[in-house]
C-alpha cells in the first residue's frame, strides 16, 4: 500500500503534494525540471472567462521570509486553457485542480461550467479573494453570505467537486468556512495571500506598480497553521493547506493542524525541485515520527486519539 | 531535464567601487555556452532571501568548468553574496533565458557592443565568442563615474573600446549614444545591455537596424511560470499578448517588445 | 532645530522612536544597556487592574522572520505599576505611553483613570486586541462599534490623549480606524500581532502552551505597511506605526506609509541596542534621501506634494 | 553598561555525535567569570533567526580572552552555527543570568556535580573554579548513549567522574540518581544541570540538602524584559509571584521555584 496516498473529493492523490495555483503556470515550465507525473495533483493558474494581461510590472517584491505579488490574474482565458493548456497536461496521469477567478458571479459560473467538463479537471478551486465589482470591489471572500452565494451558484454548474479557496484577510475565518460549507463546498483550500505592501524609499512609491500585493511564503506560515487548526475543527469537509510550505516537516505541520493535502506555492520559485524533494523526503520523516500512513497525521494536533498507531 | 547545482567559489574580489567579480566552478558550467543567458542564484538558505537573483554570465572557461559573474552590491542579496569566500558554495539554477544571437552577425562583419553600468558583463562573453567567429568587435561602455569603470582592459584586448562616463571623470563625457555619434562608429549589428532609458534611446535611433537588446525585470521564478516579468508586444492590439523576460528574453530583437 | 523631533498629541518626542509595549518591560532591564533618556518615548508593558501571572510556558516560539508570543499580559497590576514602575521611570525625561488592557470595559476605565493621572504618563495606548469576556471572548478590536464604545468610555476618564492600538486580524482595518476616530481617539497605534500558531511535530502539540500566539517581527512588516498606508489616508489622527521594524530604513518606510512616529518591538530581543542604533543612523539616512526633517516623510508615499523640500 | 560583542571563532569541531565544541575570542570574555552564566548568541544576521540562542559558558581562558561552548545541533540555529568556520564571527550578548554560587561550598568540602546531556557543559567551568578554591569535586554525567558521551577525560582530570548511559552502552546503565545511590556518593553541596525530569528527581530526593539547579526555558529577550521565561515560586499563594530564568536564574537553590 502507498503510505502517501490521500483521498479527497474528486482527488485521488498518490501523495498529498500539489503545486499551488499561480505558482506553477500550467505545468509546462516545471516539466523541464522533472516528471510532473510524480505529483499528487496540480493546481493550475487562475482562469478567467476572457484572456487577461494583468498588472503593469513590477509585479513582485521580496519581503522578509516572504514575497508580495500582484500579477493581476494574467491568463490566456477560458478558451485558451481549454484548447492549449489542459490537453497538454493530459499526458500526465495527475488530477488537475482548476482555479477559477472572476469579477462577478456570472464570470465564475461560465468558467466553472466549462472547465469542470474537461476530462482531466478533477476539482474546481474557487478563488474568492478577487474583488467583486458589483460590491464596490470588496473581495467575495470577506463577507460570509457573499462567499456562500458564490459557492452555491458555482456548485450548481460544476461537474466536479468544488474547493473554496479562503482569504486570510478576515477577522473570523471560521465564519466564512462554515458559510461556504453550508453552501455546498466539497472542500476548502487555505490560505490565499495576506494583503501587504512595500515602499521604495528613494522613489517614495510602492515597489509594486499595483501598490498592494499578496504576501506569501514562510512569513505567513504561522497564520496559515492557525487558521487551518481553527477551521478543520469547525467543518466536516477536507482542507488543502498552503502558505509557506518549503519542506517535508512543513507538510507534516500542516497536516497535524488539520489539512488533508497541501499545496506548495512560493517555494517553487526558490527551488524548482521543491515538490519532488518533499515527496522524496516524506517517507523517511514519517518513519522518524513513527507514522505508518500520511493520513494518520490529519488533525493530529487536536484529535483525541492521536497516539501512534 | 534542466538542473541546478552547487558551484564552488574559486575567487571573489572587488574590481571597482561596489563591483564584485566572482568566479566559481562546477559541472553545470558545461551548459553555459550562450552569451546573454543568466544564472539564477540562491545566495544562501536562510528564509529571508526567498527569491533567486538573476546575474548574467560574464565569462566562461568551459575546459575548467569555471564561470565568472560581475555584480554590483545593491541590496540584501548581493551584499550577502559579497561576503562569500573561496570554498563557499552558491546554489545556481541555469543557464536560463535566450541569449544574444551570434549567428546574426557574419564573419567579417562588425558588431557594436553597447553596455551601460551593470549591463556591461554579458557583453564580455558575447564579444569573445563573436571574435572567435571572425567578427570585428567594437565596444562602447558607459558608466556613472570613474570609480565605477571596470573591464576596460579586458574588452580592449578583444577590440576597440570606448569608455564614457556620465560625469566625465573618465573617458569621454556623456552617454553611449554621444560616443557612437561623435566617433561615427559604424556597424552591421548592435548588441546592447543596460538601463532601460539607454535601451530606449538606442531603439529610437537604431530601430531600423539589426539591434538586439537585453532587458531587466524583477523576477519571481525565473523559469516562465509566475508571470512576474512580462512585457507587452509591440503592435498587439488585443493588449493581452506578452513576452516573458526570463524565458523569451532577456534578449529581444529591437521592436519586439514595449520598453 | 532637532530634525528628528516629532509632535503628536500628548507626546513631544525628541525622535520618532519608542520601544513597543510588551517588548521593553518597564524599562529597567534595557537601562542596563543604554541611557533610556535618548528615546523619543517609552511604551510600557500592558497594565491590567489586578496583577497577572499570565500563561504557562512555553510562551514564545520562533517562526520564519518572526516570533509568536503568548505571554498572557503578565504584569504587576495597576497598583504595582503606579507604585514601583512609573516612579522609577521618572528619572528619565521621556514621555511614557501607558498600555492598558482588560477583559471588560470597567477594567479599562479603572486602569486608565488612574494611570493617566501619573505625572510621566503622557498618553494611554488602548490595547483592544484583548478578548472581551462579555462577548464570548471575541476581541474588542474586531467589531467596530465595540471598539468605538470602549474608546469613548476610556476617553471620558483619561487625563491624557488616548491612542487606540488596532488589531490586524480584521477584514477592514479602515472601518475600525474610522469608528475609533469618531469615538474620540487622539491617535492610533498599529499594528498589534497577527494571530498565529506553530506545532511541534514530535509531540503533536502546539509549541506555545496557550496554543495560539501573536506573530510579530519582520514577517508582518508588509501587512503593517499596507494597513498604515490605508488608514493614514482615511483618518485625520496620527499613527504610531509598528510591526517588524529593525532598521532606520524600516522607520522611513513606515513614515512614508503614513506613520507619525514608530515603535520597535521584537527587534529589542534580537539586539538590545536596536533603538539607539536606529536613532544614531537616522540622520545619515535622511541626508542620503535628501530629507531635511523626519516629519517631511510622513505619508510621503501618498501625499500629493511629496517632492524634496 | 552591558555590552555585546562580535567574538571570533578560533576553533570548532564535533566532539561527539552532533555535539560541537566551539572556541572563540574577544574582549567580552573578560567578563565571563561566573560559572553557570550563559551567552546569548545571534547566529547570523538573516531575519529568519530572529531570537538569540542561549548557550552556557563551558570554559574560559581569561588570559587569552577565549571562551569555549559546547552545544548540540538541534534545530535551525545550532545547525547554522555548526557551519561556521575559524575566522567567522558570532554576535554574543552576555554573560547573562545568575550562575552557580561558588561560595556555597567551603574549601575542603565535597561538591557533587550532576549533569545530564547538554546540561553537562556549564559544570566544567564550575568544577575548575571549585577545584581552584580547594573544593573536592566529584562528577556524575548522564547521557543517552555511548555516542553522546563527551568531556569524560576533561572532567576526570579534575576529580572522580562517573558516566552513566540510559541504554548502558557506556559506563553504568540507568540514570544519574542510580549512580549516586549505587556508589553511595556523599557530598556537602550538589550542583546540577540537565533535563527537567532529572532536576525534579534530584530535587525530590535531595530537597533538604544544599542543592543548586540550573533550569532551561524558551527565551525571548534573555535580559528580563519580555516575561517569556518565568516560573512560579514555591509556596506562593497569590499565584502571581514569579522568577525569570534569564535574569533570576538560570541557577536557583532547590525549593525556590516550581519545576
Ligand atoms: C536578466 C538579468 C541579468 C542581470 N545581470 C546582472 C549582472 O550581471 N550583474 C549585476 O550586478 N546585476 C545584474 N542584474 C540585476 C540584479 O539581478 C539585481 O541587481 C539583483 O537582483 C539585486 O539583488 P539585491 O538582493 O542586491 O537587491 P534587493 O533590492 O534586496 O533585491 C530585492 C528583490 O528585487 C530584485 N531586484 C532588485 N533590483 C533588480 C534589478 N535591477 N533587476 C532585477 N531584479 C532586481 C531582486 O532580484 C530581489 O528579488 C540582472 C538582472 C536581470 C533581470
Ligand atoms: C540557560 C540555558 C543554557 C543553555 N546551554 C546550552 C548549552 O550549553 N549547550 C546546548 O547545546 N544547549 C544549551 N541550551 C539549550 C539551547 O539554548 C537550545 O538547544 C537551542 O536554543 C536550540 O536552538 P536551535 O535553533 O538549534 O533549535 P530550534 O528548535 O530551531 O529553536 C527554536 C527556538 O526555540 C528555542 N529553544 C529550542 N530548544 C530550547 C531549549 N532546550 N532551551 C531553550 N530554548 C530552546 C531556541 O532558542 C529558539 O528560540 C541552553 C538553554 C538555556 C535556557
Ligand atoms: C506569484 C503568485 C501567483 C498566485 N496566483 C494565484 C492564483 O492565480 N490563484 C490563486 O488562488 N492563488 C494564487 N496565488 C496564491 C497561492 O496559490 C497560495 O495560496 C499562496 O501563495 C500561499 O502559499 P505559498 O506561501 O506556498 O506561496 C499566487 C501566489 C503567488 C506567489
Ligand atoms: C513578547 C511580546 C509582548 C507583547 N506585549 C504587548 C502588550 O502587552 N501590549 C500591547 O499592546 N502589545 C504587545 N505586544 C505587541 C507589540 O507591542 C507590537 O505591536 C508587535 O509586536 C509588532 O511589533 P514588532 O514586530 O516590532 O514586535 C507584544 C509583543 C511581543 C513580541
Ligand atoms: S520570472 Fe516568473 S515568469 Fe519570468
Ligand atoms: S527571556 Fe525575556 S524575560 Fe526572560
Amino acid at each position: 500500500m502507498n503510505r502517501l496516498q490521500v483521498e479527497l473529493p474528486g482527488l485521488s492523490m498518490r501523495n498529498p503534494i500539489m503545486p499551488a495555483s499561480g505558482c506553477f503556470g500550467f505545468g509546462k515550465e516545471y516539466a523541464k525540471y522533472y516528471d510532473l507525473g510524480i505529483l499528487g495533483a496540480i493546481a493550475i493558474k487562475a482562469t478567467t472567462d476572457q484572456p487577461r494581461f494583468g498588472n503593469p510590472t513590477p509585479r513582485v517584491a521580496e519581503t522578509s521570509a516572504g514575497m508580495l505579488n500582484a500579477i493581476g490574474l494574467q491568463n490566456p482565458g477560458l478558451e485558451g486553457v481549454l484548447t492549449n493548456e489542459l490537453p497538454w497536461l493530459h499526458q500526465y496521469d495527475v488530477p488537475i485542480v482548476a482555479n477559477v477567478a472572476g469579477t462577478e458571479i456570472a464570470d465564475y459560473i461560465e468558467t466553472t461550467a466549462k472547465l469542470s467538463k474537461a476530462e482531466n479537471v478533477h476539482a474546481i478551486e474557487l478563488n474568492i479573494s478577487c474583488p467583486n465589482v458589483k460590491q464596490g470591489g470588496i473581495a467575495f471572500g470577506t463577507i460570509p453570505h457573499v462567499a456562500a452565494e458564490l459557492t452555491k451558484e458555482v456548485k450548481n454548474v460544476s461537474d466536479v467537486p468544488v474547493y473554496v479557496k479562503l482569504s486570510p484577510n478576515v477577522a473570523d475565518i471560521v465564519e466564512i468556512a462554515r458559510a461556504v460549507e453550508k453552501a455546498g463546498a466539497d472542500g476548502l483550500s487555505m490560505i490565499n495571500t495576506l494583503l501587504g505592501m512595500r515602499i521604495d524609499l528613494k522613489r517614495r512609491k510602492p515597489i509594486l506598480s499595483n501598490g498592494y500585493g499578496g504576501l506569501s511564503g514562510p512569513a505567513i506560515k504561522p497564520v496559515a497553521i492557525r487558521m487551518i487548526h481553527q477551521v478543520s475543527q469547525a467543518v466536516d469537509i477536507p482542507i488543502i493547506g498552503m502558505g509557506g510550505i518549503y519542506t517535508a516537516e512543513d507538510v507534516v505541520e500542516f497536516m497535524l493542524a488539520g489539512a488533508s493535502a497541501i499545496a506548495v506555492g512560493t517555494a517553487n520559485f526558490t527551488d524548482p525541485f521543491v515538490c519532488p524533494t518533499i515527496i522524496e523526503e516524506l517517507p523517511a520523516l514519517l518513519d522518524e515520527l513513527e507514522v505508518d500512513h500520511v493520513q494518520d497525521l490529519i488533525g493530529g494536533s487536536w484529535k483525541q486519539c492521536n497516539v501512534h498507531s | 531535464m534542466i538542473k541546478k547545482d552547487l558551484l564552488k567559489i574559486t575567487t571573489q574580489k572587488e574590481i571597482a567601487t561596489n563591483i564584485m567579480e566572482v568566479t566559481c566552478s562546477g559541472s553545470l558550467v558545461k551548459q553555459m555556452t550562450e552569451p546573454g543567458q543568466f544564472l539564477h542564484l540562491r545566495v544562501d538558505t536562510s528564509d529571508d532571501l526567498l527569491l533567486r537573483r538573476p546575474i548574467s554570465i560574464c565569462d566562461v572557461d568551459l575546459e575548467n568548468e569555471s564561470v565568472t559573474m560581475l555584480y554590483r552590491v545593491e541590496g540584501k542579496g548581493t551584499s550577502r553574496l559579497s561576503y562569500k569566500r573561496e570554498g563557499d558554495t552558491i546554489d545556481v539554477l541555469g543557464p536560463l533565458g535566450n541569449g544574444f544571437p551570434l549567428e546574426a552577425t557574419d564573419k567579417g562583419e562588425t558588431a557594436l557592443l553597447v553596455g551601460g553600468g551593470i549591463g556591461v558583463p554579458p557583453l564580455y562573453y558575447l564579444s569573445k565568442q563573436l571574435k572567435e567567429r571572425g567578427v570585428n568587435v567594437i565596444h562602447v561602455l558607459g558608466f556613472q563615474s570613474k570609480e565605477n569603470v571596470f573591464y576596460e582592459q579586458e574588452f580592449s584586448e578583444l577590440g576597440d573600446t570606448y569608455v564614457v562616463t556620465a560625469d566625465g571623470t573618465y573617458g569621454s563625457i556623456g552617454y553611449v549614444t554621444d560616443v557612437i555619434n561623435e566617433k561615427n562608429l559604424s556597424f552591421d549589428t548592435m548588441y546592447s545591455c543596460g538601463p532601460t532609458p539607454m535601451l530606449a534611446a538606442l531603439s529610437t535611433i537604431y530601430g531600423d537596424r539589426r539591434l538586439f537588446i537585453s532587458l531587466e525585470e524583477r523576477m519571481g521564478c525565473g523559469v516562465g511560470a509566475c508571470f512576474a516579468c512580462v512585457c507587452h508586444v509591440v503592435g498587439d492590439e488585443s493588449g493581452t499578448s506578452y513576452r516573458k523576460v526570463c524565458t523569451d528574453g532577456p534578449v529581444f530583437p529591437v521592436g519586439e517588445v514595449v520598453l
Side-chain angles (χ1 to χ4, degrees), chain A, chain B:
Chain A
M1 197 200 119
N2 172 6
R3 67 198 292 211
L4 297 185
Q5 181 85 21
V6 291
E7 301 292 336
L8 285 83
L11 302 171
S12 182
M13 296 169 63
R14 60 176 63 84
N15 58 59
I17 317 299
M18 72 178 82
S21 176
C23 302
F24 208 72
F26 295 91
K28 277 184 189 137
E29 293 77 18
Y30 288 100
K32 293 180 190 145
Y33 289 82
Y34 57 90
D35 170 16
L36 304 188
I38 64 157
L39 296 168
I42 296 175
I44 56 175
K45 199 160 166 37
T47 301
T48 51
D49 55 349
Q50 297 302 317
R52 288 211 201 172
F53 183 83
N55 293 320
T57 58
R59 294 176 170 190
V60 294
E62 198 180 49
T63 69
S64 286
M67 66 175 280
L68 294 170
N69 88 78
I71 305 294
L73 296 177
Q74 178 161 21
N75 80 91
L78 180 55
E79 288 312 320
V81 172
L82 286 172
T83 330
N84 302 318
E85 309 299 347
L86 288 171
W88 182 87
L89 278 165
H90 210 284
Q91 65 186 292
Y92 300 102
D93 172 31
V94 176
I96 304 299
V97 178
N99 188 279
V100 172
T103 45
E104 29 184 311
I105 293 190
D107 302 345
Y108 283 97
I109 292 180
E110 150 98 357
T111 309
T112 302
K114 295 205 178 139
L115 274 183
S116 70
K117 288 189 179 56
E119 210 183 330
N120 52 344
V121 169
H122 291 223
I124 293 292
E125 185 176 53
L126 205 58
N127 183 345
I128 62 170
S129 302
C130 310
N132 178 348
V133 288
K134 290 257 171 83
Q135 300 229 351
I138 299 176
F140 288 93
T142 52
I143 306 170
H145 75 90
V146 178
E149 193 197 335
L150 178 62
T151 305
K152 196 180 278 169
E153 298 275 4
V154 165
K155 259 305 275 184
N156 273 340
V157 299
S158 180
D159 282 12
V160 295
V162 172
Y163 290 73
V164 178
K165 184 154 180 181
L166 304 185
S167 161
N169 301 297
V170 298
D172 187 352
I173 189 88
V174 169
E175 193 187 2
I176 305 266
R178 286 201 173 119
V180 300
E181 179 183 36
K182 218 170 134 203
D186 300 286
L188 301 170
S189 166
M190 57 194 288
I191 58 176
N192 212 319
T193 53
L194 282 161
L195 198 58
M197 181 183 205
R198 274 200 62 188
I199 298 172
D200 182 306
L201 304 192
K202 297 219 173 90
R203 293 172 41 251
R204 291 189 169 202
K205 291 278 161 238
I207 293 184
L208 298 178
S209 70
N210 185 54
Y212 304 152
L215 181 63
S216 62
I220 68 168
K221 200 183 85 173
V223 176
I225 294 283
R226 183 263 297 179
M227 289 187 163
I228 292 168
H229 187 262
Q230 289 178 311
V231 169
S232 61
Q233 294 177 71
V235 300
D236 293 317
I237 48 179
I239 295 173
I240 301 171
M242 68 203 73
I245 294 179
Y246 267 69
T247 63
E249 282 77 11
D250 292 337
V251 172
V252 172
E253 193 173 349
F254 272 79
M255 294 188 76
L256 288 175
S260 296
I262 64 87
V264 179
T266 306
N268 292 291
F269 308 159
T270 312
D271 178 5
F273 298 99
V274 65
C275 289
T277 304
I278 289 177
I279 293 167
E280 202 182 300
E281 290 178 357
L282 210 41
L285 180 58
L286 293 184
D287 289 344
E288 198 187 315
L289 296 171
E290 298 174 38
V291 172
D292 284 340
H293 196 288
V294 79
Q295 283 192 307
D296 301 339
L297 293 167
I298 302 169
S301 67
W302 52 263
K303 278 193 182 143
Q304 290 297 319
C305 204
N306 59 11
V307 276
H308 296 145
S309 47
Chain B
M1 296 264 155
I2 303 181
K3 296 231 172 94
K4 64 166 187 167
D5 198 6
L6 285 180
L7 298 197
K8 198 169 217 149
I9 295 182
T10 46
T11 60
Q12 160 133 283
K13 59 171 191 274
E14 192 174 7
I15 57 168
T17 305
N18 277 330
I19 305 288
M20 305 293 295
E21 178 191 64
V22 62
T23 301
C24 40
S25 63
S27 63
L28 194 68
V29 174
K30 277 196 294 291
Q31 304 178 25
M32 303 179 188
T33 52
E34 196 178 321
Q37 285 191 302
F38 67 95
L39 304 179
H40 218 24
L41 310 184
R42 186 173 181 190
V43 174
D44 61 36
T45 58
S46 74
D47 286 345
D48 64 344
L49 285 178
L50 218 67
L51 298 179
R52 287 173 178 267
R53 268 50 179 175
I55 301 289
S56 304
I57 297 169
C58 169
D59 195 14
V60 176
D61 176 347
L62 285 173
E63 207 170 318
N64 294 308
E65 296 190 339
S66 165
V67 59
T68 298
M69 294 170 272
L70 306 186
Y71 64 93
R72 181 164 58 208
V73 179
E74 280 277 338
K76 205 150 79 166
T78 48
S79 145
R80 281 215 212 143
L81 182 56
S82 73
Y83 291 125
K84 295 222 169 193
R85 308 188 259 158
E86 188 188 322
D88 288 340
T89 54
I90 318 179
D91 175 342
V92 175
L93 186 71
L96 299 175
N98 282 312
F100 291 106
L102 292 167
E103 63 291 349
T105 317
D106 286 333
K107 191 169 163 170
E109 288 189 327
T110 297
L112 184 60
L113 280 56
V114 185
I118 206 58
V120 166
L123 300 181
Y124 185 65
Y125 193 34
L126 171 65
S127 183
K128 270 176 89 171
Q129 293 207 29
L130 286 171
K131 178 144 194 199
E132 223 161 71
R133 293 167 60 99
V135 170
N136 177 31
V137 287
I138 307 177
H139 316 102
V140 177
L141 311 177
F143 298 96
Q144 204 51 45
S145 188
K146 180 179 178 179
E147 54 169 18
N148 311 118
V149 178
F150 57 87
Y151 262 46
E152 186 190 11
Q153 177 60 28
E154 285 81 349
F155 278 100
S156 301
E157 284 167 16
L158 300 172
D160 286 350
T161 302
Y162 302 89
V163 171
V164 49
T165 53
D167 63 1
T169 45
Y170 191 87
S172 55
I173 186 167
Y175 298 112
V176 290
T177 43
D178 299 331
V179 178
I180 305 174
N181 269 338
E182 283 161 23
K183 306 284 171 185
N184 230 322
L185 300 176
S186 70
F187 59 89
D188 298 294
T189 318
M190 183 187 284
Y191 298 97
S192 182
C193 183
T196 307
M198 182 190 103
L199 299 179
L202 292 172
S203 299
T204 307
I205 308 176
Y206 305 103
D208 53 349
R209 305 287 303 275
R210 252 193 265 153
L211 166 57
F212 298 91
I213 54 176
S214 179
L215 302 190
E216 262 188 20
E217 190 50 78
R218 293 210 173 216
M219 293 186 179
C221 64
V223 305
C226 76
F227 290 78
C229 66
V230 298
C231 37
H232 281 285
V233 174
V234 171
D236 163 45
E237 282 173 16
S238 70
T240 58
S241 292
Y242 61 89
R243 294 288 182 279
K244 295 174 191 160
V245 170
C246 67
T247 45
D248 299 318
V251 176
F252 294 98
V254 68
E256 177 166 339
V257 298
V258 179
L259 288 187

